[in-house]
Amino acid sequence: MIEINLLLIFIIIAAIVAVEVKDLLSSVVAVGVAGFGLVISFLALKAPDLAITQLVVEILCLIILIRATIKIDLPFSTSGRWFVNTLACIAFLVIFLSYGYAAISSLPSFGNPLMKTSNFYLGETFKTIHATNVVSAINLNFRAYDTLGEATVLFAAAIGIMAIMRKKGKLTKAGKDDESE
Amino acid sequence: MSTYFLCLILFCVGLYAILRKRNIIKMIIGIVICEYAINLFLILFGYKMNGRSPLYSPDQQILDMVDPLPQAMAMTAIVISLATTALLVGIAIRIYEKYGTFDITKINKLKG
Protein backbone atom coordinates (compact mmCIF):
# COMPACT_ATOMS: atom_id res chain seq x y z
CA MET A 1 0.00 0.00 0.00
CA ILE A 2 2.59 2.55 1.10
CA GLU A 3 5.10 1.41 -1.52
CA ILE A 4 2.51 1.81 -4.28
CA ASN A 5 1.82 5.36 -3.09
CA LEU A 6 5.55 6.13 -3.08
CA LEU A 7 5.91 4.73 -6.62
CA LEU A 8 2.95 6.84 -7.77
CA ILE A 9 4.49 9.98 -6.27
CA PHE A 10 7.75 9.13 -8.09
CA ILE A 11 5.87 8.75 -11.40
CA ILE A 12 4.04 12.06 -10.82
CA ILE A 13 7.34 13.89 -10.16
CA ALA A 14 8.86 12.38 -13.33
CA ALA A 15 5.76 13.41 -15.33
CA ILE A 16 5.90 17.00 -14.01
CA VAL A 17 9.60 17.18 -14.95
CA ALA A 18 8.79 15.81 -18.42
CA VAL A 19 6.09 18.42 -18.94
CA GLU A 20 7.96 21.42 -17.58
CA VAL A 21 11.62 20.97 -18.65
CA LYS A 22 12.66 23.10 -21.62
CA ASP A 23 14.98 20.79 -23.54
CA LEU A 24 12.99 18.30 -25.62
CA LEU A 25 15.47 15.42 -25.30
CA SER A 26 15.49 15.76 -21.48
CA SER A 27 11.71 15.74 -21.58
CA VAL A 28 11.67 12.47 -23.54
CA VAL A 29 14.14 10.92 -21.08
CA ALA A 30 11.90 11.99 -18.17
CA VAL A 31 8.96 10.23 -19.88
CA GLY A 32 11.16 7.14 -19.93
CA VAL A 33 11.69 7.49 -16.18
CA ALA A 34 7.92 7.64 -15.66
CA GLY A 35 7.42 4.59 -17.87
CA PHE A 36 9.96 2.47 -16.02
CA GLY A 37 8.39 3.55 -12.72
CA LEU A 38 5.14 2.27 -14.20
CA VAL A 39 6.84 -1.08 -14.95
CA ILE A 40 7.97 -1.40 -11.32
CA SER A 41 4.51 -0.49 -10.03
CA PHE A 42 2.96 -3.15 -12.30
CA LEU A 43 5.30 -5.67 -10.72
CA ALA A 44 4.32 -4.45 -7.25
CA LEU A 45 0.64 -4.76 -8.21
CA LYS A 46 1.12 -8.45 -9.18
CA ALA A 47 0.81 -8.06 -12.95
CA PRO A 48 3.98 -9.63 -14.42
CA ASP A 49 2.62 -10.03 -17.99
CA LEU A 50 1.80 -6.36 -18.12
CA ALA A 51 5.22 -5.43 -16.76
CA ILE A 52 6.94 -7.33 -19.60
CA THR A 53 4.67 -5.78 -22.24
CA GLN A 54 5.08 -2.29 -20.83
CA LEU A 55 8.87 -2.69 -20.77
CA VAL A 56 9.03 -3.57 -24.48
CA VAL A 57 6.51 -0.86 -25.43
CA GLU A 58 8.36 1.71 -23.33
CA ILE A 59 11.69 1.07 -25.06
CA LEU A 60 10.08 1.26 -28.53
CA CYS A 61 8.21 4.45 -27.58
CA LEU A 62 11.43 6.03 -26.33
CA ILE A 63 13.22 5.19 -29.59
CA ILE A 64 10.39 6.68 -31.68
CA LEU A 65 10.25 9.88 -29.60
CA ILE A 66 14.05 10.31 -29.70
CA ARG A 67 13.92 9.88 -33.49
CA ALA A 68 11.52 12.82 -33.60
CA THR A 69 13.48 15.12 -31.28
CA ILE A 70 17.16 14.30 -31.73
CA LYS A 71 18.14 17.23 -33.95
CA ILE A 72 15.44 19.69 -32.98
CA ASP A 73 15.52 22.29 -30.26
CA LEU A 74 12.74 24.79 -29.85
CA PRO A 75 13.05 27.97 -27.80
CA PHE A 76 10.40 28.49 -25.16
CA SER A 77 8.06 31.35 -26.03
CA THR A 78 5.81 33.12 -23.54
CA SER A 79 4.14 35.52 -25.94
CA GLY A 80 0.38 35.87 -26.05
CA ARG A 81 -2.03 35.75 -23.14
CA TRP A 82 0.17 33.59 -20.93
CA PHE A 83 -1.42 34.46 -17.59
CA VAL A 84 -5.05 34.17 -18.70
CA ASN A 85 -4.41 30.86 -20.45
CA THR A 86 -2.66 29.32 -17.45
CA LEU A 87 -5.38 30.55 -15.09
CA ALA A 88 -8.16 29.11 -17.25
CA CYS A 89 -6.32 25.81 -17.59
CA ILE A 90 -5.74 25.47 -13.83
CA ALA A 91 -9.35 26.39 -13.08
CA PHE A 92 -10.52 23.65 -15.46
CA LEU A 93 -8.17 21.14 -13.84
CA VAL A 94 -9.43 22.02 -10.33
CA ILE A 95 -13.04 21.47 -11.43
CA PHE A 96 -12.02 18.20 -13.09
CA LEU A 97 -10.22 17.03 -9.94
CA SER A 98 -13.18 17.84 -7.68
CA TYR A 99 -15.58 15.89 -9.89
CA GLY A 100 -13.06 13.07 -10.14
CA TYR A 101 -12.78 12.94 -6.36
CA ALA A 102 -16.55 12.64 -6.08
CA ALA A 103 -16.49 9.84 -8.67
CA ILE A 104 -13.77 7.77 -7.01
CA SER A 105 -15.49 8.14 -3.64
CA SER A 106 -18.28 5.90 -4.97
CA LEU A 107 -15.88 3.17 -6.13
CA PRO A 108 -15.14 0.12 -3.98
CA SER A 109 -12.17 0.81 -1.72
CA PHE A 110 -8.61 0.02 -2.77
CA GLY A 111 -7.79 -3.66 -2.29
CA ASN A 112 -11.33 -5.03 -2.47
CA PRO A 113 -12.25 -5.42 -6.15
CA LEU A 114 -15.60 -6.51 -7.52
CA MET A 115 -14.82 -9.90 -9.00
CA LYS A 116 -18.09 -11.08 -10.52
CA THR A 117 -16.88 -11.91 -14.04
CA SER A 118 -13.35 -12.69 -12.97
CA ASN A 119 -14.40 -15.48 -10.63
CA PHE A 120 -15.86 -17.30 -13.64
CA TYR A 121 -12.58 -16.88 -15.53
CA LEU A 122 -10.48 -17.91 -12.53
CA GLY A 123 -12.56 -21.03 -12.02
CA GLU A 124 -12.83 -22.05 -15.67
CA THR A 125 -9.22 -21.44 -16.72
CA PHE A 126 -7.66 -24.40 -15.02
CA LYS A 127 -10.71 -26.67 -15.34
CA THR A 128 -11.64 -26.39 -19.02
CA ILE A 129 -8.67 -24.76 -20.78
CA HIS A 130 -5.88 -26.28 -18.67
CA ALA A 131 -3.86 -23.09 -18.99
CA THR A 132 -1.79 -21.82 -16.08
CA ASN A 133 -1.62 -18.16 -17.06
CA VAL A 134 -5.06 -16.62 -16.56
CA VAL A 135 -4.27 -13.37 -18.41
CA SER A 136 -3.12 -15.25 -21.51
CA ALA A 137 -6.18 -17.48 -21.28
CA ILE A 138 -8.49 -14.46 -21.23
CA ASN A 139 -6.67 -12.76 -24.11
CA LEU A 140 -6.34 -15.76 -26.38
CA ASN A 141 -9.30 -17.94 -25.46
CA PHE A 142 -12.23 -16.28 -23.66
CA ARG A 143 -11.87 -12.97 -25.49
CA ALA A 144 -10.05 -13.96 -28.67
CA TYR A 145 -12.15 -11.65 -30.86
CA ASP A 146 -10.96 -8.73 -28.74
CA THR A 147 -7.35 -9.67 -29.53
CA LEU A 148 -8.26 -9.98 -33.22
CA GLY A 149 -9.65 -6.44 -33.11
CA GLU A 150 -6.49 -5.26 -31.39
CA ALA A 151 -4.37 -6.74 -34.20
CA THR A 152 -6.64 -5.02 -36.74
CA VAL A 153 -6.14 -1.65 -35.06
CA LEU A 154 -2.39 -2.26 -34.94
CA PHE A 155 -2.17 -2.98 -38.67
CA ALA A 156 -4.44 -0.03 -39.47
CA ALA A 157 -2.06 2.23 -37.53
CA ALA A 158 0.92 0.71 -39.37
CA ILE A 159 -0.74 1.45 -42.73
CA GLY A 160 -1.43 5.00 -41.54
CA ILE A 161 2.24 5.50 -40.58
CA MET A 162 3.33 4.18 -43.99
CA ALA A 163 0.94 6.56 -45.76
CA ILE A 164 2.15 9.54 -43.71
CA MET A 165 5.87 8.88 -43.73
CA ARG A 166 6.48 7.84 -47.34
CA LYS A 167 8.69 10.23 -49.24
CA LYS A 168 7.54 9.77 -52.84
CA GLY A 169 4.19 11.28 -53.77
CA LYS A 170 2.26 10.83 -56.98
CA LEU A 171 4.04 11.59 -60.23
CA THR A 172 2.86 14.71 -62.05
CA LYS A 173 2.58 14.95 -65.83
CA ALA A 174 6.06 16.38 -66.10
CA GLY A 175 7.40 13.31 -64.33
CA LYS A 176 8.60 15.08 -61.19
CA ASP A 177 7.65 14.23 -57.64
CA ASP A 178 4.60 16.12 -56.51
CA GLU A 179 6.13 16.77 -53.10
CA SER A 180 5.82 20.57 -52.99
CA GLU A 181 2.05 20.71 -53.03
CA MET B 1 -8.70 5.94 -1.89
CA SER B 2 -5.60 8.14 -1.78
CA THR B 3 -4.01 5.80 -4.33
CA TYR B 4 -6.86 6.42 -6.77
CA PHE B 5 -6.52 10.16 -6.18
CA LEU B 6 -2.77 10.11 -6.91
CA CYS B 7 -3.56 8.31 -10.16
CA LEU B 8 -6.08 11.06 -10.99
CA ILE B 9 -3.39 13.70 -10.33
CA LEU B 10 -1.08 11.88 -12.77
CA PHE B 11 -3.87 12.05 -15.37
CA CYS B 12 -4.24 15.79 -14.67
CA VAL B 13 -0.51 16.35 -15.30
CA GLY B 14 -0.94 14.82 -18.76
CA LEU B 15 -4.12 16.81 -19.37
CA TYR B 16 -2.31 20.03 -18.43
CA ALA B 17 0.39 19.27 -21.01
CA ILE B 18 -2.22 18.63 -23.71
CA LEU B 19 -4.17 21.79 -22.94
CA ARG B 20 -1.43 24.28 -22.21
CA LYS B 21 1.77 23.43 -24.09
CA ARG B 22 2.44 24.76 -27.59
CA ASN B 23 5.10 22.28 -28.63
CA ILE B 24 3.63 19.29 -30.47
CA ILE B 25 6.13 16.89 -28.87
CA LYS B 26 5.07 18.13 -25.42
CA MET B 27 1.43 17.47 -26.33
CA ILE B 28 2.33 13.93 -27.45
CA ILE B 29 4.15 13.44 -24.14
CA GLY B 30 0.97 14.58 -22.37
CA ILE B 31 -1.06 11.97 -24.25
CA VAL B 32 1.50 9.29 -23.29
CA ILE B 33 1.26 10.29 -19.61
CA CYS B 34 -2.56 10.10 -19.78
CA GLU B 35 -2.26 6.57 -21.19
CA TYR B 36 0.04 5.60 -18.32
CA ALA B 37 -2.44 6.97 -15.78
CA ILE B 38 -5.43 5.13 -17.28
CA ASN B 39 -3.59 1.79 -17.55
CA LEU B 40 -2.38 2.16 -13.98
CA PHE B 41 -5.90 2.98 -12.79
CA LEU B 42 -7.27 -0.20 -14.36
CA ILE B 43 -4.63 -2.29 -12.61
CA LEU B 44 -5.15 -0.50 -9.28
CA PHE B 45 -8.88 -1.17 -9.54
CA GLY B 46 -8.28 -4.90 -9.88
CA TYR B 47 -5.76 -5.20 -7.06
CA LYS B 48 -6.71 -7.37 -4.13
CA MET B 49 -4.95 -6.69 -0.86
CA ASN B 50 -2.16 -9.26 -0.31
CA GLY B 51 -3.21 -11.03 -3.50
CA ARG B 52 -1.16 -13.33 -5.69
CA SER B 53 -0.33 -13.11 -9.38
CA PRO B 54 -2.94 -14.77 -11.65
CA LEU B 55 -0.73 -17.77 -12.43
CA TYR B 56 -1.83 -21.30 -11.59
CA SER B 57 0.58 -23.98 -10.57
CA PRO B 58 -0.24 -27.67 -11.12
CA ASP B 59 1.20 -28.64 -7.76
CA GLN B 60 -0.34 -26.27 -5.28
CA GLN B 61 -3.65 -24.54 -4.65
CA ILE B 62 -3.57 -20.73 -4.98
CA LEU B 63 -6.68 -19.03 -3.65
CA ASP B 64 -6.48 -15.23 -3.40
CA MET B 65 -5.57 -14.03 -6.88
CA VAL B 66 -5.83 -10.44 -8.06
CA ASP B 67 -8.43 -9.60 -10.71
CA PRO B 68 -7.12 -10.88 -14.08
CA LEU B 69 -9.70 -9.18 -16.32
CA PRO B 70 -8.38 -5.56 -16.03
CA GLN B 71 -4.88 -6.90 -16.68
CA ALA B 72 -6.00 -8.52 -19.94
CA MET B 73 -7.83 -5.37 -21.02
CA ALA B 74 -4.89 -3.11 -20.09
CA MET B 75 -2.53 -5.34 -22.10
CA THR B 76 -4.62 -4.65 -25.21
CA ALA B 77 -4.64 -0.93 -24.43
CA ILE B 78 -0.86 -0.77 -23.96
CA VAL B 79 -0.13 -2.27 -27.38
CA ILE B 80 -2.65 0.02 -29.08
CA SER B 81 -1.17 3.04 -27.29
CA LEU B 82 2.22 2.26 -28.86
CA ALA B 83 0.62 2.29 -32.33
CA THR B 84 -1.17 5.59 -31.73
CA THR B 85 2.01 7.18 -30.33
CA ALA B 86 3.95 6.12 -33.43
CA LEU B 87 1.21 7.58 -35.65
CA LEU B 88 1.26 10.89 -33.74
CA VAL B 89 5.06 11.13 -33.96
CA GLY B 90 4.87 10.43 -37.69
CA ILE B 91 2.41 13.28 -38.16
CA ALA B 92 4.64 15.55 -36.04
CA ILE B 93 7.72 14.72 -38.16
CA ARG B 94 5.82 15.53 -41.35
CA ILE B 95 4.61 18.83 -39.85
CA TYR B 96 8.22 19.68 -38.97
CA GLU B 97 9.36 18.91 -42.53
CA LYS B 98 6.64 21.12 -44.02
CA TYR B 99 6.66 24.11 -41.63
CA GLY B 100 10.07 23.90 -39.95
CA THR B 101 8.65 24.21 -36.44
CA PHE B 102 6.87 22.29 -33.69
CA ASP B 103 5.12 25.41 -32.37
CA ILE B 104 1.37 25.17 -33.01
CA THR B 105 0.94 28.96 -33.11
CA LYS B 106 3.39 29.21 -36.03
CA ILE B 107 1.57 26.59 -38.11
CA ASN B 108 -0.90 28.93 -39.81
CA LYS B 109 -0.64 28.06 -43.49
CA LEU B 110 -3.39 25.47 -43.47
CA LYS B 111 -5.63 27.35 -45.90
CA GLY B 112 -5.56 26.31 -49.56
Side-chain angles (χ1 to χ4, degrees):
Chain A
M1 182 73 188
I2 186 73
E3 71 269 16
I4 291 163
N5 281 351
L6 284 176
L7 273 168
L8 262 167
I9 290 167
F10 173 70
I11 296 170
I12 288 169
I13 291 170
I16 290 171
V17 169
V19 169
E20 286 300 328
V21 79
K22 287 187 178 116
D23 186 29
L24 278 184
L25 194 58
S26 317
S27 174
V28 171
V29 171
V31 170
V33 172
F36 287 116
L38 194 66
V39 172
I40 299 170
S41 58
F42 280 161
L43 276 180
L45 288 166
K46 305 291 188 301
D49 309 87
L50 268 173
I52 296 165
T53 315
Q54 178 69 37
L55 191 64
V56 175
V57 164
E58 182 56 44
I59 292 166
L60 282 175
C61 186
L62 216 59
I63 290 169
I64 292 167
L65 278 171
I66 285 174
R67 161 72 182 81
T69 59
I70 189 73
K71 280 184 284 187
I72 298 157
D73 201 12
L74 192 73
F76 183 67
S77 67
T78 54
S79 60
R81 291 166 296 178
W82 188 85
F83 183 72
V84 178
N85 286 351
T86 309
L87 204 67
C89 186
I90 288 176
F92 171 74
L93 285 182
V94 167
I95 295 169
F96 180 82
L97 268 179
S98 58
Y99 274 96
Y101 187 78
I104 61 177
S105 302
S106 64
L107 287 177
S109 64
F110 179 68
N112 304 306
L114 290 172
M115 293 180 69
K116 284 182 183 165
T117 318
S118 309
N119 278 330
F120 169 74
Y121 288 141
L122 284 174
E124 290 293 305
T125 298
F126 202 57
K127 238 182 282 172
T128 61
I129 301 175
H130 304 292
T132 51
N133 191 335
V134 184
V135 177
S136 295
I138 291 172
N139 262 334
L140 299 175
N141 208 317
F142 292 114
R143 292 184 179 238
Y145 282 118
D146 195 6
T147 310
L148 182 69
E150 175 205 345
T152 312
V153 172
L154 207 60
F155 280 108
I159 289 170
I161 294 164
M162 275 170 60
I164 289 167
M165 292 297 288
R166 69 175 174 182
K167 288 289 181 192
K168 297 259 169 78
K170 280 182 187 168
L171 290 179
T172 56
K173 281 179 184 170
K176 289 184 294 188
D177 276 347
D178 198 10
E179 184 68 22
S180 58
E181 285 300 314
Chain B
M1 187 66 208
S2 64
T3 316
Y4 290 156
F5 194 66
L6 283 172
C7 203
L8 200 64
I9 289 172
L10 182 62
F11 185 82
C12 279
V13 172
L15 202 60
Y16 174 80
I18 295 171
L19 288 173
R20 188 67 192 89
K21 293 294 169 184
R22 289 177 174 179
N23 195 329
I24 295 179
I25 297 293
K26 283 286 177 72
M27 295 167 89
I28 293 172
I29 284 170
I31 293 170
V32 171
I33 291 169
C34 283
E35 282 164 356
Y36 288 169
I38 290 168
N39 289 333
L40 190 58
F41 182 74
L42 285 174
I43 302 303
L44 285 174
F45 190 63
Y47 183 66
K48 185 184 265 184
M49 200 57 80
N50 300 319
R52 303 278 301 270
S53 303
L55 299 168
Y56 278 108
S57 169
D59 305 330
Q60 55 186 355
Q61 192 79 17
I62 298 171
L63 287 176
D64 50 346
M65 287 185 178
V66 299
D67 198 346
L69 188 58
Q71 296 190 10
M73 296 292 109
M75 197 178 225
T76 311
I78 284 171
V79 177
I80 288 175
S81 77
L82 173 70
T84 53
T85 307
L87 192 60
L88 286 169
V89 171
I91 293 170
I93 289 172
R94 293 302 275 182
I95 285 174
Y96 188 82
E97 284 175 4
K98 190 165 172 60
Y99 296 100
T101 180
F102 275 142
D103 196 340
I104 55 168
T105 57
K106 303 270 169 54
I107 301 166
N108 50 10
K109 287 185 282 189
L110 286 176
K111 45 183 179 290

PDB file of all heavy atoms in Angstrom, chain A residues 18-39:
ATOM      1  N   ALA A  18       8.887  15.996 -16.964  1.00  0.00           N
ATOM      2  CA  ALA A  18       8.789  15.811 -18.416  1.00  0.00           C
ATOM      3  C   ALA A  18       7.972  16.911 -19.056  1.00  0.00           C
ATOM      4  O   ALA A  18       8.264  17.349 -20.171  1.00  0.00           O
ATOM      5  CB  ALA A  18       8.157  14.452 -18.714  1.00  0.00           C
ATOM      6  N   VAL A  19       6.932  17.388 -18.346  1.00  0.00           N
ATOM      7  CA  VAL A  19       6.088  18.421 -18.943  1.00  0.00           C
ATOM      8  C   VAL A  19       6.771  19.785 -18.881  1.00  0.00           C
ATOM      9  O   VAL A  19       6.686  20.574 -19.815  1.00  0.00           O
ATOM     10  CB  VAL A  19       4.716  18.435 -18.230  1.00  0.00           C
ATOM     11  CG1 VAL A  19       3.922  19.644 -18.618  1.00  0.00           C
ATOM     12  CG2 VAL A  19       3.951  17.192 -18.576  1.00  0.00           C
ATOM     13  N   GLU A  20       7.502  20.058 -17.813  1.00  0.00           N
ATOM     14  CA  GLU A  20       7.960  21.423 -17.584  1.00  0.00           C
ATOM     15  C   GLU A  20       9.382  21.705 -18.046  1.00  0.00           C
ATOM     16  O   GLU A  20       9.764  22.855 -18.154  1.00  0.00           O
ATOM     17  CB  GLU A  20       7.851  21.756 -16.086  1.00  0.00           C
ATOM     18  CG  GLU A  20       6.431  21.990 -15.638  1.00  0.00           C
ATOM     19  CD  GLU A  20       5.762  23.132 -16.375  1.00  0.00           C
ATOM     20  OE1 GLU A  20       6.451  24.079 -16.750  1.00  0.00           O
ATOM     21  OE2 GLU A  20       4.548  23.049 -16.588  1.00  0.00           O
ATOM     22  N   VAL A  21      10.225  20.689 -18.285  1.00  0.00           N
ATOM     23  CA  VAL A  21      11.619  20.969 -18.649  1.00  0.00           C
ATOM     24  C   VAL A  21      11.663  21.516 -20.078  1.00  0.00           C
ATOM     25  O   VAL A  21      10.788  21.247 -20.889  1.00  0.00           O
ATOM     26  CB  VAL A  21      12.468  19.694 -18.469  1.00  0.00           C
ATOM     27  CG1 VAL A  21      12.294  18.751 -19.626  1.00  0.00           C
ATOM     28  CG2 VAL A  21      13.911  20.020 -18.263  1.00  0.00           C
ATOM     29  N   LYS A  22      12.682  22.367 -20.346  1.00  0.00           N
ATOM     30  CA  LYS A  22      12.658  23.097 -21.619  1.00  0.00           C
ATOM     31  C   LYS A  22      13.285  22.315 -22.756  1.00  0.00           C
ATOM     32  O   LYS A  22      12.825  22.405 -23.889  1.00  0.00           O
ATOM     33  CB  LYS A  22      13.389  24.425 -21.447  1.00  0.00           C
ATOM     34  CG  LYS A  22      12.559  25.378 -20.641  1.00  0.00           C
ATOM     35  CD  LYS A  22      13.168  26.742 -20.584  1.00  0.00           C
ATOM     36  CE  LYS A  22      12.274  27.673 -19.797  1.00  0.00           C
ATOM     37  NZ  LYS A  22      12.889  28.153 -18.592  1.00  0.00           N
ATOM     38  N   ASP A  23      14.336  21.551 -22.478  1.00  0.00           N
ATOM     39  CA  ASP A  23      14.982  20.788 -23.536  1.00  0.00           C
ATOM     40  C   ASP A  23      14.125  19.582 -23.900  1.00  0.00           C
ATOM     41  O   ASP A  23      13.637  18.856 -23.033  1.00  0.00           O
ATOM     42  CB  ASP A  23      16.363  20.334 -23.043  1.00  0.00           C
ATOM     43  CG  ASP A  23      17.129  19.657 -24.148  1.00  0.00           C
ATOM     44  OD1 ASP A  23      16.884  20.020 -25.309  1.00  0.00           O
ATOM     45  OD2 ASP A  23      17.952  18.788 -23.867  1.00  0.00           O
ATOM     46  N   LEU A  24      13.915  19.360 -25.207  1.00  0.00           N
ATOM     47  CA  LEU A  24      12.995  18.300 -25.624  1.00  0.00           C
ATOM     48  C   LEU A  24      13.554  16.911 -25.340  1.00  0.00           C
ATOM     49  O   LEU A  24      12.825  16.006 -24.956  1.00  0.00           O
ATOM     50  CB  LEU A  24      12.702  18.425 -27.119  1.00  0.00           C
ATOM     51  CG  LEU A  24      11.635  19.428 -27.496  1.00  0.00           C
ATOM     52  CD1 LEU A  24      11.391  19.380 -28.978  1.00  0.00           C
ATOM     53  CD2 LEU A  24      10.358  19.141 -26.773  1.00  0.00           C
ATOM     54  N   LEU A  25      14.878  16.741 -25.526  1.00  0.00           N
ATOM     55  CA  LEU A  25      15.467  15.417 -25.296  1.00  0.00           C
ATOM     56  C   LEU A  25      15.398  15.044 -23.810  1.00  0.00           C
ATOM     57  O   LEU A  25      15.075  13.893 -23.470  1.00  0.00           O
ATOM     58  CB  LEU A  25      16.907  15.426 -25.792  1.00  0.00           C
ATOM     59  CG  LEU A  25      17.585  14.076 -25.938  1.00  0.00           C
ATOM     60  CD1 LEU A  25      16.802  13.205 -26.883  1.00  0.00           C
ATOM     61  CD2 LEU A  25      18.989  14.243 -26.447  1.00  0.00           C
ATOM     62  N   SER A  26      15.643  16.017 -22.921  1.00  0.00           N
ATOM     63  CA  SER A  26      15.490  15.756 -21.477  1.00  0.00           C
ATOM     64  C   SER A  26      14.059  15.388 -21.136  1.00  0.00           C
ATOM     65  O   SER A  26      13.810  14.524 -20.296  1.00  0.00           O
ATOM     66  CB  SER A  26      15.889  16.993 -20.673  1.00  0.00           C
ATOM     67  OG  SER A  26      17.035  17.552 -21.183  1.00  0.00           O
ATOM     68  N   SER A  27      13.121  16.027 -21.817  1.00  0.00           N
ATOM     69  CA  SER A  27      11.709  15.741 -21.584  1.00  0.00           C
ATOM     70  C   SER A  27      11.371  14.296 -21.959  1.00  0.00           C
ATOM     71  O   SER A  27      10.674  13.591 -21.212  1.00  0.00           O
ATOM     72  CB  SER A  27      10.904  16.732 -22.409  1.00  0.00           C
ATOM     73  OG  SER A  27       9.565  16.439 -22.353  1.00  0.00           O
ATOM     74  N   VAL A  28      11.934  13.850 -23.109  1.00  0.00           N
ATOM     75  CA  VAL A  28      11.673  12.465 -23.536  1.00  0.00           C
ATOM     76  C   VAL A  28      12.297  11.475 -22.551  1.00  0.00           C
ATOM     77  O   VAL A  28      11.690  10.455 -22.204  1.00  0.00           O
ATOM     78  CB  VAL A  28      12.217  12.270 -24.968  1.00  0.00           C
ATOM     79  CG1 VAL A  28      12.183  10.822 -25.360  1.00  0.00           C
ATOM     80  CG2 VAL A  28      11.423  13.082 -25.939  1.00  0.00           C
ATOM     81  N   VAL A  29      13.500  11.798 -22.059  1.00  0.00           N
ATOM     82  CA  VAL A  29      14.143  10.915 -21.080  1.00  0.00           C
ATOM     83  C   VAL A  29      13.327  10.859 -19.791  1.00  0.00           C
ATOM     84  O   VAL A  29      13.171   9.791 -19.178  1.00  0.00           O
ATOM     85  CB  VAL A  29      15.593  11.390 -20.837  1.00  0.00           C
ATOM     86  CG1 VAL A  29      16.210  10.636 -19.688  1.00  0.00           C
ATOM     87  CG2 VAL A  29      16.412  11.181 -22.075  1.00  0.00           C
ATOM     88  N   ALA A  30      12.735  11.984 -19.383  1.00  0.00           N
ATOM     89  CA  ALA A  30      11.902  11.993 -18.175  1.00  0.00           C
ATOM     90  C   ALA A  30      10.643  11.158 -18.367  1.00  0.00           C
ATOM     91  O   ALA A  30      10.176  10.502 -17.429  1.00  0.00           O
ATOM     92  CB  ALA A  30      11.547  13.424 -17.801  1.00  0.00           C
ATOM     93  N   VAL A  31      10.091  11.133 -19.595  1.00  0.00           N
ATOM     94  CA  VAL A  31       8.960  10.231 -19.875  1.00  0.00           C
ATOM     95  C   VAL A  31       9.386   8.783 -19.720  1.00  0.00           C
ATOM     96  O   VAL A  31       8.641   7.943 -19.211  1.00  0.00           O
ATOM     97  CB  VAL A  31       8.389  10.506 -21.276  1.00  0.00           C
ATOM     98  CG1 VAL A  31       7.411   9.442 -21.678  1.00  0.00           C
ATOM     99  CG2 VAL A  31       7.704  11.818 -21.291  1.00  0.00           C
ATOM    100  N   GLY A  32      10.642   8.489 -20.140  1.00  0.00           N
ATOM    101  CA  GLY A  32      11.156   7.139 -19.934  1.00  0.00           C
ATOM    102  C   GLY A  32      11.238   6.773 -18.471  1.00  0.00           C
ATOM    103  O   GLY A  32      10.918   5.644 -18.091  1.00  0.00           O
ATOM    104  N   VAL A  33      11.647   7.731 -17.627  1.00  0.00           N
ATOM    105  CA  VAL A  33      11.687   7.488 -16.179  1.00  0.00           C
ATOM    106  C   VAL A  33      10.296   7.154 -15.656  1.00  0.00           C
ATOM    107  O   VAL A  33      10.106   6.188 -14.896  1.00  0.00           O
ATOM    108  CB  VAL A  33      12.261   8.717 -15.449  1.00  0.00           C
ATOM    109  CG1 VAL A  33      12.117   8.564 -13.954  1.00  0.00           C
ATOM    110  CG2 VAL A  33      13.707   8.908 -15.810  1.00  0.00           C
ATOM    111  N   ALA A  34       9.292   7.916 -16.104  1.00  0.00           N
ATOM    112  CA  ALA A  34       7.924   7.644 -15.665  1.00  0.00           C
ATOM    113  C   ALA A  34       7.471   6.259 -16.127  1.00  0.00           C
ATOM    114  O   ALA A  34       6.819   5.527 -15.369  1.00  0.00           O
ATOM    115  CB  ALA A  34       6.984   8.723 -16.199  1.00  0.00           C
ATOM    116  N   GLY A  35       7.838   5.888 -17.362  1.00  0.00           N
ATOM    117  CA  GLY A  35       7.425   4.586 -17.872  1.00  0.00           C
ATOM    118  C   GLY A  35       8.052   3.434 -17.120  1.00  0.00           C
ATOM    119  O   GLY A  35       7.391   2.444 -16.820  1.00  0.00           O
ATOM    120  N   PHE A  36       9.330   3.565 -16.766  1.00  0.00           N
ATOM    121  CA  PHE A  36       9.957   2.468 -16.022  1.00  0.00           C
ATOM    122  C   PHE A  36       9.456   2.417 -14.577  1.00  0.00           C
ATOM    123  O   PHE A  36       9.357   1.334 -13.998  1.00  0.00           O
ATOM    124  CB  PHE A  36      11.470   2.587 -16.087  1.00  0.00           C
ATOM    125  CG  PHE A  36      12.019   2.221 -17.436  1.00  0.00           C
ATOM    126  CD1 PHE A  36      12.661   3.146 -18.225  1.00  0.00           C
ATOM    127  CD2 PHE A  36      11.849   0.946 -17.930  1.00  0.00           C
ATOM    128  CE1 PHE A  36      13.128   2.808 -19.474  1.00  0.00           C
ATOM    129  CE2 PHE A  36      12.310   0.602 -19.179  1.00  0.00           C
ATOM    130  CZ  PHE A  36      12.952   1.538 -19.950  1.00  0.00           C
ATOM    131  N   GLY A  37       9.085   3.582 -14.022  1.00  0.00           N
ATOM    132  CA  GLY A  37       8.392   3.553 -12.724  1.00  0.00           C
ATOM    133  C   GLY A  37       7.075   2.815 -12.812  1.00  0.00           C
ATOM    134  O   GLY A  37       6.686   2.083 -11.900  1.00  0.00           O
ATOM    135  N   LEU A  38       6.399   2.989 -13.974  1.00  0.00           N
ATOM    136  CA  LEU A  38       5.144   2.269 -14.203  1.00  0.00           C
ATOM    137  C   LEU A  38       5.380   0.759 -14.256  1.00  0.00           C
ATOM    138  O   LEU A  38       4.585  -0.022 -13.722  1.00  0.00           O
ATOM    139  CB  LEU A  38       4.528   2.765 -15.502  1.00  0.00           C
ATOM    140  CG  LEU A  38       3.087   2.416 -15.780  1.00  0.00           C
ATOM    141  CD1 LEU A  38       2.211   3.112 -14.788  1.00  0.00           C
ATOM    142  CD2 LEU A  38       2.727   2.820 -17.170  1.00  0.00           C
ATOM    143  N   VAL A  39       6.503   0.348 -14.892  1.00  0.00           N
ATOM    144  CA  VAL A  39       6.837  -1.084 -14.954  1.00  0.00           C
ATOM    145  C   VAL A  39       7.009  -1.641 -13.549  1.00  0.00           C
ATOM    146  O   VAL A  39       6.462  -2.710 -13.213  1.00  0.00           O
ATOM    147  CB  VAL A  39       8.127  -1.282 -15.788  1.00  0.00           C
ATOM    148  CG1 VAL A  39       8.600  -2.710 -15.692  1.00  0.00           C
ATOM    149  CG2 VAL A  39       7.897  -0.923 -17.223  1.00  0.00           C
TER     150      VAL A  39
END
